[in-house]
Amino acid sequence: MRRRSSLPVTFLVPTLAILLVLSMVPTLYAIVIALQNRELSAPGYSWVWFSNFADLFSDRRFLNAVWVSVKWEIVTVVATMVVAIGLGVLMFEVAGPRLRNFYCLLFIIPVLLPRVSAAFVWKFAYHPLYGIATYPYRLITGGLIFDPLSKPGSALFAVASVDVWQWGLFFAVIVLKLLETLPPQPIEAARLDHAKRWQIHAYVTLPMLKAPLISLMFVKMIESLRSFDLIYVMTRGGPGVATETLDMYAFSQGFIESGKVSYASAMAVLMMIATVITFTMLWKRVQA
Amino acid sequence: MKPGRLIAKAVLALAGFLAVFPLVWTALNALKNNVDIITRVPKVIFTPTLANISYILGRDSVLTGLYNSAVACGAAVLIGIVLGLPAAYAVARYPNRFAGDIQFFVLSLRFLPPVAVAIPLMVIWLQIGLYDTLPALIVTYSLLTISVIMWLAIPAFQGVPKEIEEAAFVDGYGAYSVFWRIALPVAARSLVGAIAFSFVLVWNEFLIALMLSSSNAKTLPIVASELSQQGMNVPWGILNASVVLLSLPPLLFLGVLSGFLNSVFRQKKS
């Protein structure tokens, strides 16, 4: 048995204290600012309590941003999981050990890139005149212009494709590793029953991996919320407000357009409350 | 070979191609003159030039950005190591009734929308006169590095066989020297992965750096994004070169991180 030691206290207390201060001070201060009417340009302020929040709900651009954020979450999370599971299963089925390692290395590269880099890489690639990704279209149509980033209907999907490029490929590696940890017996049994390969995965392996796959989805949901840099570099929320998510709108209200720091903070506080409640509930269910 | 298998292999090969080709293309563009980039038909054969690369390496703003990024990320990761690793060890090895809550608290820091943290911090740093300085950035990033390192190091320490530590206790080691001489070296490989991961996260960070710096403390991602706003005459080659420069440090960790992934999943198996 281990003797009593001061180690847990000396190791934990300072770190937790610092984490608490570093996280609680800005969080509480965000709420305080949201209840005032601070602006970047003017030093004075007064308490306006909930009027910022009340204003938000009659702000059509805010409601649009909520809708864009929801669309963004759904599109990126679903597409990432589909790509990840698809490629993970394919690697598991047709690639030998050495080829698997090679693909794993390739698929990790995009996620390591700074999002700013990834955004630039694809912004060039989607350039209507000189882009490498739009080149096949120009080639086939004899020089017609395809400009996905500047059309309201396609801009969100074009930006989302970059997010999926980064995360879907990375998650494919994780799905493969998860498949590799499964015991082989149930797969063998299904094979003896003449199950087709897709049936084995749909009815045997993927259900066995349900819990880790849900955790993976959970991680992606959190990461999808931090796509500001991607959108900032690629479209700045445009064309119009087609790709303006909540954090993009908060940023432009607070800093670019009007400097309404309190208004932006009210938005951020709402986001914070929504995400903390949603993810706490989800986490408890995942753990249960 | 069955057609299904052939298609599957083709899809995989295409995915592998898509994973790296955009990057390879960017690296090629970094070596091109503007005339060779702005062509209707992409040019594969061209006379390479180092002009773009030497241009960005010669610019003060880029060098300052590089320096700021290196100092801010390095210091924050160091703080993360010093505070995060011991705390993770304590959670992993000295279970108490708060362990679950602590882990959830650390994870929940990840839910906080960055805007929600950045706005008040900006006001706070402005008020105490530290806005647009590296210390402000380092303190803010520490929140990120401590929590990420802690989160990843807890399972790494749990993976250290308990028997080794027990044996060391029997040999008369104290709790602290067991941590120093046994747990740290045994878990080292996974811990390096966790540290590399936290470095990549802060190196890639954009929103907080954008809001907490205006001129002096700009990090490399901010400088790179500003290069693109130089009017109509976009210096494509220079931009591509800066993207390459920005992407190199995280890519250096490629080997470490893929080894880390392998070790994480091997632990789960046993």
Side-chain angles (χ1 to χ4, degrees):
Chain A
M1 277 307 291
R2 213 166 268 201
R3 282 149 292 179
R4 290 201 148 267
S5 160
S6 60
L7 183 140
V9 176
T10 46
F11 275 14
L12 261 182
V13 171
T15 305
L16 287 182
I18 288 173
L19 279 183
L20 266 176
V21 171
L22 282 182
S23 61
M24 292 323 280
V25 167
T27 308
L28 295 176
Y29 207 58
I31 299 171
V32 169
I33 296 173
L35 300 173
Q36 299 169 339
N37 61 351
R38 281 177 194 257
E39 299 205 357
L40 264 189
S41 46
Y45 62 87
S46 57
W47 292 84
V48 296
W49 302 109
F50 290 98
S51 79
N52 282 322
F53 292 94
D55 289 347
L56 276 177
F57 288 97
S58 52
D59 180 348
R60 294 187 59 168
R61 227 173 123 188
F62 170 73
L63 298 176
N64 171 70
V66 172
W67 173 231
V68 172
S69 293
V70 171
K71 266 198 294 191
W72 172 262
E73 283 285 312
I74 294 172
V75 169
T76 55
V77 171
V78 170
T80 299
M81 293 311 289
V82 168
V83 168
I85 293 175
L87 289 178
V89 168
L90 281 186
M91 275 194 278
F92 187 71
E93 283 296 333
V94 299
R98 291 187 63 180
L99 202 58
R100 279 185 196 178
N101 278 339
F102 175 67
Y103 278 128
C104 285
L105 214 57
L106 290 189
F107 288 171
I108 296 176
I109 291 173
V111 82
L112 286 184
L113 289 191
R115 281 197 180 244
V116 174
S117 293
F120 271 126
V121 165
W122 283 93
K123 201 181 172 186
F124 299 136
Y126 282 139
H127 192 285
L129 293 179
Y130 319 120
I132 189 79
T134 54
Y135 174 65
Y137 183 84
R138 292 199 301 277
L139 190 69
I140 295 167
T141 58
L144 281 181
I145 284 172
F146 172 57
D147 193 359
L149 285 176
S150 66
K151 288 214 183 67
S154 61
L156 187 83
F157 295 99
V159 181
S161 70
V162 182
D163 187 68
V164 176
W165 177 67
Q166 288 203 285
W167 287 94
L169 296 179
F170 171 56
F171 276 10
V173 175
I174 297 182
V175 170
L176 172 68
K177 306 271 174 198
L178 288 172
L179 286 170
E180 284 174 348
T181 60
L182 284 179
Q185 294 86 351
I187 303 175
E188 296 295 329
R191 209 161 268 166
L192 287 179
D193 288 342
H194 300 288
K196 294 206 170 63
R197 279 167 191 271
W198 69 266
Q199 287 174 323
I200 293 177
H201 288 290
Y203 299 116
V204 182
T205 60
L206 293 177
M208 286 169 85
L209 290 174
K210 198 175 151 204
L213 287 179
I214 289 176
S215 306
L216 212 55
M217 197 162 106
F218 183 73
V219 170
K220 180 60 192 135
M221 287 169 77
I222 297 176
E223 287 306 321
S224 280
L225 285 175
R226 350 187 120 235
S227 311
F228 175 86
D229 10 20
L230 208 57
I231 294 167
Y232 180 83
V233 171
M234 289 186 79
T235 62
R236 298 254 162 154
V241 289
T243 57
E244 190 168 73
T245 52
L246 278 170
D247 45 2
M248 192 69 223
Y249 182 44
F251 178 76
S252 57
Q253 277 297 306
F255 302 96
I256 300 177
E257 289 166 23
S258 41
K260 289 197 273 183
V261 181
S262 284
Y263 194 58
S265 196
M267 231 179 293
V269 167
L270 275 187
M271 258 175 97
M272 192 155 70
I273 294 170
T275 50
V276 169
I277 292 177
T278 316
F279 287 129
T280 308
M281 273 168 38
L282 279 174
W283 173 252
K284 300 278 178 208
R285 290 192 71 173
V286 170
Q287 291 303 81
Chain B
M1 207 188 282
K2 277 196 229 160
R5 233 178 128 72
L6 207 64
I7 294 172
K9 288 203 160 180
V11 171
L12 266 184
L14 180 71
F17 173 77
L18 280 178
V20 285
F21 179 69
L23 267 177
V24 173
W25 191 248
T26 306
L28 283 179
N29 278 348
L31 298 171
K32 285 178 187 173
N33 285 311
N34 240 7
V35 244
D36 289 328
I37 299 175
I38 304 179
T39 53
R40 299 261 166 163
V41 180
K43 265 196 185 175
V44 185
I45 295 159
F46 58 93
T47 337
T49 167
L50 289 176
N52 300 317
I53 293 163
S54 63
Y55 176 82
I56 60 159
L57 287 180
R59 272 183 70 114
D60 285 342
S61 66
V62 172
L63 292 181
T64 316
L66 193 61
Y67 170 80
N68 287 341
S69 274
V71 172
C73 298
V77 169
L78 210 63
I79 294 174
I81 294 170
V82 171
L83 290 171
L85 288 186
Y89 179 72
V91 173
R93 272 298 177 256
Y94 293 84
N96 59 47
R97 60 205 162 90
F98 304 113
D101 293 328
I102 292 172
Q103 271 178 285
F104 181 68
F105 166 66
V106 173
L107 178 74
S108 72
L109 296 178
R110 211 60 201 138
F111 310 163
L112 293 179
V115 212
V117 182
I119 294 172
L121 278 175
M122 184 178 164
V123 178
I124 293 171
W125 295 127
L126 273 171
Q127 277 173 349
I128 51 180
L130 282 176
Y131 175 74
D132 196 19
T133 62
L134 282 179
L137 213 51
I138 292 168
V139 170
T140 312
Y141 280 172
S142 298
L143 178 67
L144 196 68
T145 53
I146 298 172
S147 58
V148 168
I149 289 180
M150 239 183 110
W151 180 247
L152 293 173
I154 292 174
F157 281 124
Q158 281 167 343
V160 175
K162 266 195 171 141
E163 295 75 23
I164 309 181
E165 290 185 34
E166 297 295 341
F169 275 112
V170 173
D171 284 350
Y173 279 43
Y176 293 93
S177 48
V178 167
F179 168 71
W180 268 112
R181 303 204 196 162
I182 312 290
L184 268 188
V186 173
R189 273 197 57 183
S190 306
L191 295 180
V192 169
I195 292 164
F197 190 79
S198 78
F199 176 84
V200 171
L201 273 187
V202 285
W203 181 273
N204 295 356
E205 203 287 326
F206 180 74
L207 174 62
I208 290 172
L210 181 68
M211 289 174 80
L212 293 188
S213 66
S214 60
S215 59
N216 300 321
K218 274 186 208 157
T219 57
L220 200 54
I222 313 297
V223 177
S225 84
E226 279 171 357
L227 280 176
S228 72
Q229 297 157 26
Q230 298 181 333
M232 290 300 287
N233 201 356
V234 187
W236 294 105
I238 293 164
L239 253 175
N240 279 291
S242 67
V243 167
V244 171
L245 176 70
L246 180 63
S247 314
L248 278 181
L251 288 183
L252 291 180
F253 287 104
L254 180 63
V256 178
L257 286 175
S258 70
F260 176 57
L261 273 183
N262 278 329
S263 72
V264 166
F265 286 97
R266 209 168 296 135
Q267 276 168 16
K268 270 195 183 155
K269 202 173 189 176
S270 57

